[in-house]
Amino acid sequence: MTSSSSLTKNQKLVLDALEKEKGPLSAYSILDRLRDDGLRAPLQVYRALDKLLDLQLVHRLESLNAFVACAHPHCHASHMIAFGICETCGQVWEFSDDVVRDRLMGWAESHDFKPSKTTIEMKGVCADCRAAG
Amino acid sequence: MTSSSSLTKNQKLVLDALEKEKGPLSAYSILDRLRDDGLRAPLQVYRALDKLLDLQLVHRLESLNAFVACAHPHCHASHMIAFGICETCGQVWEFSDDVVRDRLMGWAESHDFKPSKTTIEMKGVCADCRAAG
DNA sequence: CTCTGTTGTGTTACTCTATAACATCTGTCA
DNA sequence: TGACAGATGTTATAGAGTAACACAACAGAG
Ligand SMILES: [Zn+2]
Ligand SMILES: [Zn+2]
Ligand SMILES: [Zn+2]
Ligand SMILES: [Zn+2]
């Protein structure tokens, strides 16, 4: 089995913590939420996150040093994913755009550059927060 | 004056250090290179970097926690900048693509999201390093 | 069944990245 | 001159991530 049914205890705990949260969490925030479940050291969280990132069940937001549960599990095997991140409420939107991907891949090809991982993150203010002003 | 002629001593030191380097540097690496020039604490570097980032003379690479001198100073006031980053040699290419910008702005408009800062970073292996393979 | 390799766990200690708080200094402008 | 904004210097601390080592669980080969 390739997905969450084969997760270990710690991996499930970390994934659950992220899925319960509307926004991203830092590794240390996750740790704090899981102390009552027996987790004691950062490394326990980071190891679980490594696996979850491999499985694409979780994404890392580079500009926040934080992690978020995938919004569309199993749906973007090798996609180039983009994120909208509200700086006010912390909510995250996950999307992908084939035109963006093609343009970036085009730049890579024209420069003989072989991309392995691409980060696209838009920080700003979401509709709700603007309305709440 | 709006540019490098008005920089202070520390700001010039930090900018020089980044311009001398072909690739990105962490704040602490910058500090190490500037100890002989009198810098002693991380904060001195971070404060200079803050100003240089404001002036767009330096860019921060979120996926590396590192900084790089702008390749085209004065040329992209409000542009959305993308980076290609070689994971082997560390070299960085700075470019922008209007189509990518338009697509991302389009997503933002359609979601009533007001972006303030966008990060686009492609990590991979450059032509030279692939040839040297 | 036992050996063995692989993966996950737990723990301690550590490095690297970034900021808080406070005092001082320097220039600009009224 | 006085007042303010911005830059500086220093110490201490917070936040993010990894190294190293020992042990447990489990699957497959012989
Ligand atoms: Zn996803
Ligand atoms: Zn919001
Ligand atoms: Zn630039
Ligand atoms: Zn290279």
Side-chain angles (χ1 to χ4, degrees), chain A residues 113, chain B residues 86-91 93 124-130:
Chain A
F113 181 93
Chain B
C86 178
E87 290 172 310
T88 301
C89 68
Q91 197 167 343
W93 289 262
V125 184
C126 77
D128 289 351
C129 289
R130 292 174 69 191

Side-chain angles (χ1 to χ4, degrees), chain A residues 65-76:
Chain A
N65 292 332
F67 304 85
V68 66
C70 176
H72 320 292
H74 314 291
C75 293
H76 46 239

Side-chain angles (χ1 to χ4, degrees), chain B residues 40-51:
Chain B
R40 323 239 77 220
L43 202 45
Q44 297 175 284
V45 174
Y46 280 109
R47 288 201 277 227
L49 284 170
D50 282 345
K51 193 66 193 302

Side-chain angles (χ1 to χ4, degrees), chain B residues 56-105:
Chain B
Q56 303 232 53
L57 297 174
V58 159
H59 301 297
R60 178 187 163 82
L61 301 176
E62 303 287 353
S63 64
L64 296 178
N65 292 331
F67 305 85
V68 67
C70 175
H72 319 292
H74 315 291
C75 294
H76 46 239
S78 65
H79 256 66
M80 188 177 283
I81 309 166
F83 299 92
I85 304 170
C86 178
E87 290 172 310
T88 301
C89 68
Q91 197 167 343
V92 174
W93 289 262
E94 180 179 338
F95 65 100
S96 62
D97 184 303
D98 288 344
V99 175
V100 169
R101 193 197 59 230
D102 289 349
R103 295 293 295 186
L104 293 177
M105 287 306 203

